[in-house]
Amino acid sequence: MLSACSGHLYEELRSSPESPKTLAALKPEFTNALYRTQVDIMGKPLSGLLLIKALPDGSTRVVFTNEIGVKFFDFSFGQQKFEVISCIDQLNKKAVINQLRQDIGAILMYQLDFTRGQVYQLQDELYYQFPGEKSTRLYYVTDAKQRVIKRIENTTDKKKKLVVELFNPIRNVADSIFLDHKLYKFSISLKKIKQ
Amino acid sequence: MFKPFLIATAMFFTFATYAQPQGYKAVTDKAAFEKSYAAAAEKTTSIRSDFKQEKNLSMLSEKINSSGVFLFKAPNRVRMEYTSPYKYLMVINNDKILIQDRQKKKVYSAGDNKAFKSLNSVIMECVQGRILSNKSFKPVLYENKTTYCLDLTPQSKELKQLFSSIRLVIAKNNFSIDEIEMRESSGDNTVITFTNKRINAPVQDAEVQVN
């Protein structure tokens, strides 16, 4: 039993000799990825296009527009700080911005300190655990044999808050991504588009 | 989160203020234009057209391209179907709007939402040749040998947040829309170009049906 894992949800995990730094090799390289995006927020559908692009200065820009071209938000995940480049008033609320920053940031592995992690194993999966925001933990769950990230979980001791499933990665960039918030009805589905 | 989508969608065909476009001169007799525009629109019972859309993200040096089919059937039905590189369908039928995204289909009533009402009226007014009468926008009209260029400036704060200006390029021979450009204050823009236009080509009721 792993007491360090502290919680009912992950008590079956066993310590692994793997270094948490090895996760860095699975960090996605979002050179330029465009995703068809569907959002379900409390039963209300919303769709559009999400562009994730790495810039020469080391930052990653994430832009969400609707199909017709109207821009909802433009975020910069900079090397030093996160910045809202633009956001329509209706979305420009602290809680909304923070949630999107955390969700997208988890996928980007934004400002993830690989030295502060611990690694556990359960059957064929490795669980890379890192401290999350507000006393939560962030798990990157990999297929131990395939060496790919299968999902990301953000959890408290008792409840999973967010599960992100990633499918068919190429150069660590998933072809499909599904984010599902467990404490309220909010999901985001991303499917990569070939332009 | 849904409301901004509706509002943003409603702004699809909306407008702004630009510098005078190159090769164009100002039109002084706007009333004559409006009369001819309305007369041509009255003779238009249907439109079938292809369209290409280019979203330019200036700071990122990035373009997002898409294309599809546009249909209009008088007096008040429109179908905007994106077919590549993604599928997305919007059908407007009188006071109802259908949005279909992959397998998800939903019908909204314009009466339920002010934004839908706005969307409905703006799209229809563009096709019906009555857009100059819309008080939500300040129009400036130019012309060259073959086209009119109508620049529209949004007057409401809500619209201004989304677009700094919208430009319509209108063919002189039949007053159909060649191009719509929506500009944002950030320098980004979206250009929709209509090609292979077939005025009064048959459009079936089923193609513009909302159900």
Side-chain angles (χ1 to χ4, degrees):
Chain A
M1 192 71 65
L2 183 68
S3 58
C5 195
S6 68
H8 311 297
L9 293 175
Y10 298 88
E11 58 190 7
E12 291 182 0
L13 298 182
R14 297 289 180 272
S15 220
S16 165
E18 187 90 4
S19 165
K21 295 177 185 174
T22 57
L23 185 67
L26 301 182
K27 186 171 180 176
E29 298 173 31
F30 284 102
T31 311
N32 187 343
L34 183 66
Y35 286 93
R36 187 86 174 90
T37 304
Q38 291 172 310
V39 179
D40 187 324
I41 175 83
M42 309 303 278
K44 306 278 189 187
L46 173 69
S47 67
L49 303 171
L50 190 80
L51 175 70
I52 305 176
K53 181 168 181 171
L55 296 188
D57 66 1
S59 67
T60 300
R61 288 281 282 273
V62 179
V63 180
F64 184 39
T65 75
N66 73 0
E67 290 82 355
I68 293 162
V70 176
K71 191 162 53 184
F72 290 144
F73 65 71
D74 181 352
F75 296 159
S76 171
F77 292 79
Q79 289 191 314
Q80 302 302 321
K81 63 173 183 177
F82 168 81
E83 195 177 350
V84 177
I85 304 298
S86 69
C87 185
I88 60 172
D89 283 350
Q90 292 87 345
L91 289 177
N92 203 357
K93 317 285 185 222
K94 191 176 178 182
V96 175
I97 299 285
N98 279 340
Q99 191 63 70
L100 291 168
R101 176 181 56 78
Q102 287 178 43
D103 289 357
I104 299 167
I107 295 168
L108 299 178
M109 294 190 182
Y110 180 60
Q111 292 183 335
L112 191 66
D113 185 350
F114 294 104
T115 65
R116 293 183 63 200
Q118 298 178 69
V119 186
Y120 304 104
Q121 184 154 15
L122 179 62
Q123 297 172 349
D124 291 335
E125 294 180 332
L126 288 177
Y127 284 66
Y128 291 77
Q129 178 197 298
F130 299 91
E133 296 195 20
K134 295 182 179 176
S135 304
T136 63
R137 294 186 303 278
L138 200 55
Y139 287 97
Y140 288 86
V141 184
T142 68
D143 184 308
K145 291 177 183 170
Q146 300 284 333
R147 302 293 300 162
V148 293
I149 298 173
K150 295 168 65 177
R151 63 184 183 276
I152 304 166
E153 299 176 0
N154 184 220
T155 181
T156 65
D157 282 345
K158 296 180 179 176
K159 290 180 179 175
K160 285 184 184 177
K161 294 179 67 178
L162 170 71
V163 175
V164 183
E165 294 179 278
L166 304 106
F167 303 96
N168 306 321
I170 297 174
R171 295 179 67 190
N172 300 333
V173 175
D175 173 74
S176 302
I177 303 171
F178 184 70
L179 296 91
D180 187 19
H181 284 267
K182 298 297 183 184
L183 302 186
Y184 57 104
K185 199 168 189 291
F186 178 31
S187 65
I188 302 174
S189 173
L190 303 170
K191 172 68 179 170
K192 203 170 181 186
I193 295 173
K194 288 178 183 172
Q195 281 226 90
Chain B
M1 192 177 277
F2 185 58
K3 189 178 175 186
F5 163 71
L6 299 180
I7 294 169
T9 306
M11 300 310 112
F12 177 33
F13 283 86
T14 340
F15 326 125
T17 301
Y18 307 67
Q20 181 165 320
Q22 198 170 11
Y24 283 85
K25 62 179 182 181
V27 172
T28 49
D29 191 355
K30 291 193 184 87
F33 165 82
E34 194 166 7
K35 191 177 174 184
S36 301
Y37 190 8
E42 199 170 322
K43 293 177 187 168
T44 304
T45 57
S46 62
I47 300 171
R48 296 191 84 96
S49 173
D50 299 328
F51 72 86
K52 288 184 179 177
Q53 179 175 304
E54 183 177 282
K55 172 77 180 175
N56 297 292
L57 298 164
S58 58
M59 293 297 287
L60 300 179
S61 303
E62 191 67 32
K63 290 181 180 179
I64 301 173
N65 296 304
S66 53
S67 60
V69 176
F70 173 88
L71 303 180
F72 165 74
K73 185 164 188 174
N76 50 20
R77 287 187 275 183
V78 163
R79 179 186 180 101
M80 194 93 183
E81 182 173 15
Y82 291 76
T83 55
S84 177
Y86 51 83
K87 294 190 185 302
Y88 179 79
L89 174 65
M90 179 171 68
V91 180
I92 304 171
N93 185 336
N94 197 12
D95 63 345
K96 289 184 178 175
I97 298 174
L98 165 75
I99 300 287
Q100 185 169 346
D101 178 34
R102 291 190 195 168
Q103 303 304 316
K104 293 182 181 175
K105 187 191 282 189
K106 193 156 185 175
V107 176
Y108 303 93
S109 169
D112 292 342
N113 188 296
K114 196 176 175 182
F116 272 151
K117 199 171 180 180
S118 174
L119 169 67
N120 199 355
S121 64
V122 169
I123 291 177
M124 292 306 165
E125 284 167 10
C126 274
V127 184
Q128 294 167 342
R130 297 186 290 115
I131 193 63
L132 283 176
S133 305
N134 192 323
K135 301 299 181 191
S136 301
F137 313 104
K138 183 182 174 185
V140 181
L141 184 63
Y142 306 96
E143 66 178 331
N144 65 14
K145 197 174 177 181
T146 57
T147 59
Y148 289 105
C149 179
L150 179 59
D151 286 347
L152 300 124
T153 306
Q155 298 300 291
S156 72
K157 185 186 171 188
E158 205 172 46
L159 286 175
K160 286 177 181 173
Q161 186 200 344
L162 294 167
F163 299 110
S164 59
S165 59
I166 293 186
R167 169 171 287 171
L168 301 177
V169 177
I170 301 165
K172 274 189 168 177
N173 62 339
N174 58 13
F175 287 83
S176 64
I177 297 171
D178 285 344
E179 185 177 293
I180 299 172
E181 179 185 4
M182 298 176 282
R183 290 183 181 178
E184 300 165 36
S185 56
S186 64
D188 295 349
N189 73 344
T190 302
V191 180
I192 301 173
T193 307
F194 296 91
T195 57
N196 194 22
K197 287 182 285 185
R198 286 150 286 164
I199 309 297
N200 294 333
V203 172
Q204 304 303 317
D205 283 345
E207 295 178 284
V208 286
Q209 194 69 41
V210 172
N211 54 28

